[in-house]
Structures are given as structure tokens and as C-alpha cells.
């Protein structure tokens, strides 16, 4: 029988420990006195040594004034505090007489476990990052009915250790959840972007509410109900593959126009300024990546696909040309290959010598909703020695050509 220990019996830890206690022997420690009919509340030393698995559920607090209950967007952003987690790790090092499986469930930002915690833990122990999607008021229900269980390991592989933790969870679960195994960093990112996606979504629907009040003749529910039922594009997995930015004749200019409307009706904030600004910086970051590769290898930059998407000629609102703009701003020439492009500026029909090629078009991802399954074929010969930067991370290695999957930094 696996023995479970909890360090931190607060709002999250105590309820979760009690759920485990319905299936396993559980002991727990908190710096404040806690009581429970199910969990054996004990000293730190006993908790550690009476457990094979040690779950850390201590606070990772934000600084004062950063909880969102008062205005804070004007203040300098700050990371969560890590002192309590570091203290818990030190306690495991100090008191454990044999090897432990340490599971951090507190919320931390992507990269934190690798950078701040793992090096502190004695190497005889093993470390997993396993954040919960749990809301106050329904902790116990949420724990056994999660949308997914995220298990972070050092290299993201479904190691025996991750498998063991899944086996520990299985008897608890009431809804047969997805088990996602990734790197520590990926699971940190899934957790924090899960929450912030919700903030972005609520920010958008509340913006429609603001417009309803200002413009009149709009029931916000009619608008949001129609959008909520739009499962072809905006709800569901569509547009959930990172790659080139939003583009075309409609989306960018709609955002830009809504910026104007927000000002016209004095909404008091400009969400789409941020969205459009981020789109531009993301294009600039990609351009800098291309330029850096090109500089290192003494090659030129070619963007494969100039129109805003494959199979159409329209270069209006194209993210390819936005990236090209920033390539030129970094002092490099840019050429495009695209047999359909309706704007022939800087378009060439073939590549002269090995180049750094941005694989901007991906037919399968763009048209998958229509049932289209064919990948984009090269618009011209790609010379041997070239480097393809694939922001969709779909291209397989090609003989004599290096393929870089932009956005995958796993070793
Ligand atoms: N509460 C939730 O619904 C929820 C949901 C998901 C994630 N989280 C995350 O879980 C973590 C804990 O959240 P919480 O709401 O339970 O916080 P909390 O403040 O209610 O509980 C933390 C507990 O840890 C104890 N503690 C502090 N330092 C300690 C130490 N060095 N050793 C032992 N115990 C110590 C505190 O006394 C407290 O009882 C945070 O990172 C939070 O972001 C919370």
C-alpha cells in the first residue's frame, strides 16, 4: 500500500489529503495546527518518514496588492514567492532517511521547477510537478473529476514514476480523466495558461457587454450564445496550434477597428491594442530567429508562402509579410516563394543556394476543418544545405536539409 504524506494542509492540501485518505494511509504536516478525522496530522519528521510519496501543497503567494482585487496592471509585474516550497524541499532533504517521491502541486510559473527547485532536492529523491485544476468551494469534487491530470517529469517521458502516480490516482477518479505527461515546464505552462485562457475569454465576453451598454440595442447574451455555439472555429480545438499569427483580410483589421470603437465609445481600455501588439512582437521574434540562423550560416532568408494562407493569392493582412517586414528591419533582405501570390514584390520562382526558409504555409492545419489532409508541397526546389524553420512543427527531417521545429525546445 502506497503511503502518502502532505506538507501544507491549507485550503488545497487538507481536502486533497482527505480524498487520498479514503484510499491510502495519509499523514500530513502544516506549520499551523490542523485537525482531520482522516489524515494523521503529525510532525514534519514523522510525515516524511511515514510516506513514500510526499505531496507539497504550500503557498506560492503573490506580493501584497497583486491579487487582482484592486488595480494592479500599472504595477511592476512580479513572480510568485517560492520560500515555502524551498523550505519544504529542505525539510525532505533533512529528515528523509530513504529515497522519496516528491510531488509539487503548488502553482508556479513555467521554468520554475527546473530553475529554482530541482537542484535543491537531494538526488536520492525523485521529483514530479503535478498541479491541480481546482476551485475553492469544490476542492474535493474537482480533485476526483478533473478535466485532466498533469504530470511533469524531468524529460517529459512517461517514466515508470509518472505511471506509478497515475496508478495512485486511478482509484480516486470518478470521471476517467485525461492523463497528460510532459516536462515539468510543460505542465507548469498547461496549468498557468489554463487559468489565463479563462481570464482572456472572460475579458472578451465582458468587452461585448461593455459595447452593449455603450452602443445600445444589443443583448450581450444573444452575441455570446451565438459565439458559444460556434464550434467550427472559435470554440473547440481549432486555432490551438501555435504557428504563424492570425492573418487575412478580416481578422487583423477587425482587431484594429475594435481599437477604434473602444476609443469612440470610451470603453476605458484597449484589449485589442495588446492583442495586435503581441501579434507584431511575435512576428518580430520569429524574424529575429530567422535572421540569427541566416547570420550564423551565411545564408539568405526566404519565406515559403507570401499569401496570408495556402491555396489563395491574397497577400492582404499576411503574417508572412509582417515577418518579412521585421527581417528587413533587422538589415536582411527577404525573398518569398509563392506561385499564387497576388503581390509579386520580392517574390522569386526559385532559391539561389542554400537558404533559411520559413515554412509559413501549412495546408493541412489551415484547412483541416474541411477534411483536407494534404500537407503543403514545396513551391520550388529547396537546395541541399538549407535550413527550414517550421513554425507548425510538422515537417519530418529531409535528407540534406535541416528542419527546425520552432516552438519545440525539448532536448
Ligand atoms: N486553493 C485552491 O483552490 C488551489 C487550486 C489550485 C492550486 N492551488 C495552489 O496550491 C498552493 C496552496 O494553495 P492553498 O490555497 O492551499 O494555500 P493556503 O495558504 O490555504 O495553504 C497553504 C498551507 O501551507 C502551510 N504552510 C506554509 N508554509 C509551510 C511550510 N514551510 N511547511 C509546511 N506548511 C506550510 C500554511 O500554513 C497553509 O496551511 C498554491 O500554490 C496555490 O496557488 C490552490
Amino acid at each position: 500500500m502506497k503511503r502518502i504524506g502532505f506538507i501544507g494542509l491549507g485550503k488545497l492540501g487538507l481536502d486533497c489529503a482527505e480524498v487520498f485518505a479514503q484510499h491510502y494511509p495519509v499523514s500530513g504536516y502544516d506549520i499551523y495546527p490542523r485537525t482531520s478525522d482522516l489524515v494523521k496530522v503529525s510532525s514534519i519528521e514523522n510525515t516524511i518518514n511515514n510516506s513514500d510519496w510526499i505531496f507539497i501543497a504550500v503557498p506560492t503567494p503573490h506580493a501584497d496588492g497583486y491579487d487582482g482585487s484592486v488595480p494592479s496592471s500599472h504595477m511592476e509585474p512580479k513572480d510568485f514567492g517560492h520560500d515555502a516550497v524551498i523550505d519544504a524541499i529542505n525539510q525532505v532533504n533533512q529528515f528523509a532517511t530513504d529515497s522519496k517521491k516528491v510531488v509539487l502541486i503548488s502553482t508556479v510559473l513555467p521554468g520554475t521547477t527546473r530553475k529554482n527547485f530541482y537542484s535543491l532536492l537531494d538526488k536520492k529523491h525523485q521529483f514530479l510537478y503535478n498541479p491541480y485544476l481546482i476551485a475553492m468551494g469544490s476542492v474535493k469534487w474537482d480533485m476526483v473529476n478533473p478535466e485532466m491530470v498533469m504530470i511533469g517529469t524531468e524529460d517529459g517521458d512517461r517514466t515508470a514514476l509518472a505511471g506509478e502516480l497515475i496508478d495512485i490516482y486511478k482509484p480516486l477518479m470518478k470521471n476517467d480523466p485525461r492523463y497528460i505527461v510532459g516536462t515539468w515546464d510543460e505542465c507548469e505552462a498547461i496549468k498557468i495558461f489554463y487559468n489565463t485562457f479563462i481570464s482572456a475569454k472572460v475579458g472578451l465576453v465582458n468587452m461585448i457587454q461593455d459595447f452593449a451598454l455603450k452602443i445600445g440595442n444589443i443583448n450581450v447574451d444573444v452575441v455570446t450564445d451565438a459565439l458559444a455555439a460556434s464550434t467550427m472555429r472559435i470554440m473547440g480545438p481549432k486555432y490551438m496550434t501555435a504557428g504563424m499569427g492570425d492573418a487575412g483580410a478580416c481578422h487583423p483589421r477587425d482587431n484594429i477597428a475594435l481599437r477604434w470603437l473602444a476609443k469612440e465609445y470610451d470603453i476605458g481600455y484597449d484589449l485589442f491594442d495588446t492583442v495586435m501588439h503581441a501579434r507584431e512582437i511575435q512576428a518580430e521574434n520569429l524574424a529575429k530567429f530567422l535572421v540569427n540562423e541566416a547570420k550564423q550560416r551565411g545564408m539568405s532568408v526566404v519565406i515559403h508562402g507570401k499569401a496570408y494562407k495556402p491555396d489563395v493569392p491574397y497577400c492582404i493582412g499576411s503574417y508572412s509579410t509582417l515577418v518579412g517586414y521585421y527581417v528587413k528591419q533587422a538589415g536582411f533582405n527577404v525573398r518569398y516563394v509563392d506561385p499564387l501570390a497576388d503581390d509579386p514584390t520580392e517574390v522569386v520562382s526559385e532559391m539561389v543556394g542554400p537558404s533559411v526558409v520559413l515554412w509559413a504555409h501549412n495546408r493541412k492545419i489551415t484547412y483541416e476543418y474541411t477534411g483536407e489532409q494534404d500537407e503543403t508541397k514545396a513551391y520550388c526546389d529547396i537546395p541541399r544545405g538549407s535550413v527550414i524553420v517550421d513554425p507548425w512543427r510538422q515537417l519530418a527531417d529531409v535528407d540534406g536539409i535541416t528542419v527546425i521545429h520552432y516552438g519545440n525546445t525539448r532536448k
Side-chain angles (χ1 to χ4, degrees):
M1 183 60 106
K2 314 271 188 212
R3 298 171 309 158
I4 308 285
F6 260 77
I7 302 180
L9 296 172
K11 295 186 286 296
L12 180 71
L14 184 58
D15 276 5
C16 294
E18 290 189 342
V19 170
F20 273 115
Q22 292 163 18
H23 301 265
Y24 305 99
V26 180
S27 41
Y29 165 77
D30 197 291
I31 49 173
Y32 287 102
R34 304 281 179 212
T35 53
S36 168
D37 293 337
L38 296 168
V39 173
K40 189 169 181 311
V41 179
S42 187
S43 67
I44 182 72
E45 191 170 356
N46 285 341
T47 297
I48 291 171
N49 280 315
N50 289 334
S51 317
D52 314 302
W53 289 80
I54 297 168
F55 289 77
I56 299 178
V58 297
T60 47
H62 46 266
D64 280 350
Y66 282 74
D67 68 341
S69 62
V70 291
S72 59
S73 59
H74 60 291
M75 294 177 356
E76 192 196 333
K78 286 190 180 167
D79 193 357
F80 302 130
H82 300 145
D83 290 354
V85 178
I86 292 171
D87 187 47
I89 290 172
N90 287 336
Q91 307 266 39
V92 175
N93 289 339
Q94 187 181 345
F95 292 115
T97 51
D98 58 0
S99 147
K100 302 292 176 196
K101 291 151 184 175
V102 178
V103 184
L104 179 65
I105 64 179
S106 305
T107 307
V108 295
L109 292 179
T112 304
T113 295
R114 201 171 297 274
K115 217 183 305 162
N116 300 52
F117 300 148
Y118 184 57
S119 59
L120 301 178
L121 187 69
D122 278 355
K123 291 298 158 272
K124 70 176 176 189
H125 306 302
Q126 292 170 287
F127 198 103
L128 292 172
Y129 181 65
N130 172 217
Y132 289 175
L133 300 174
I134 277 183
M136 292 280 75
S138 52
V139 174
K140 286 186 171 168
W141 189 91
D142 287 344
M143 183 172 173
V144 298
N145 292 283
E147 181 154 3
M148 62 182 147
V149 176
M150 297 156 262
I151 299 178
T153 66
E154 183 172 8
D155 61 6
D157 283 347
R158 207 177 173 113
T159 54
L161 185 65
E164 258 188 81
L165 185 56
I166 292 171
D167 288 341
I168 289 178
Y169 277 125
K170 277 195 172 149
L172 274 57
M173 295 302 171
K174 303 252 186 282
N175 68 338
D176 193 19
R178 285 178 285 139
Y179 291 90
I180 307 290
V181 179
T183 58
W184 296 318
D185 321 69
E186 286 163 349
C187 290
E188 290 161 337
I190 298 169
K191 159 74 188 179
I192 204 90
F193 283 105
Y194 187 99
N195 287 355
T196 51
F197 246 92
I198 294 172
S199 310
K201 209 170 165 180
V202 174
L204 265 178
V205 298
N206 286 348
M207 185 176 190
I208 303 169
Q209 180 170 250
D210 278 342
F211 276 131
L213 291 170
K214 296 274 185 176
I215 298 170
N217 304 304
I218 294 176
N219 176 354
V220 62
D221 294 330
V222 174
V223 182
T224 53
D225 286 352
L227 296 176
S230 300
T231 52
M232 278 176 71
R233 291 193 178 86
I234 56 175
M235 301 296 160
K238 188 71 181 137
Y239 296 111
M240 284 299 294
T241 307
M244 299 289 281
D246 202 6
C250 303
H251 291 195
R253 66 176 210 118
D254 288 354
N255 281 273
I256 294 163
L258 271 178
R259 294 196 53 207
W260 174 83
L261 198 69
K263 203 159 170 238
E264 180 75 5
Y265 283 98
D266 196 18
I267 295 283
Y269 54 87
D270 188 346
L271 191 60
F272 296 104
D273 176 33
T274 308
V275 172
M276 293 308 282
H277 185 64
R279 176 180 179 270
E280 285 165 13
I281 304 296
Q282 285 159 4
E284 188 177 9
N285 290 343
L286 179 52
K288 283 180 179 161
F289 187 90
L290 299 172
V291 166
N292 192 32
E293 289 295 326
K295 265 190 195 154
Q296 276 180 20
R297 298 163 196 267
M299 295 180 187
S300 51
V301 174
V302 175
I303 299 184
H304 186 271
K306 185 175 188 191
Y308 83 84
K309 62 180 180 179
D311 295 0
V312 301
Y314 317 116
C315 292
I316 187 169
S318 169
Y319 196 75
S320 293
T321 52
L322 186 63
V323 175
Y325 169 90
Y326 288 114
V327 170
K328 285 192 279 184
Q329 219 183 39
F332 254 65
N333 279 334
V334 69
R335 294 284 174 267
Y336 300 88
V337 282
D338 190 335
L340 294 181
D342 61 6
D343 173 2
T345 319
E346 293 160 341
V347 174
V348 293
S349 53
E350 56 187 35
M351 295 182 203
V352 189
S355 311
V356 172
V357 182
L358 173 64
W359 199 256
H361 284 179
N362 183 304
R363 295 187 73 238
K364 185 163 183 263
I365 288 179
T366 302
Y367 294 111
E368 206 163 26
Y369 66 100
T370 65
E372 181 59 69
Q373 291 297 321
D374 284 346
E375 306 277 358
T376 296
K377 302 222 169 39
Y379 296 150
C380 67
D381 277 347
I382 313 271
R384 284 177 76 84
S386 292
V387 174
I388 298 182
V389 176
D390 177 11
W392 307 102
R393 297 162 303 284
Q394 303 290 312
L395 287 183
D397 275 340
V398 188
D399 198 25
I401 293 171
T402 306
V403 175
I404 298 176
H405 284 177
Y406 186 75
N408 182 357
T409 50
R410 269 206 200 188
K411 298 273 181 327

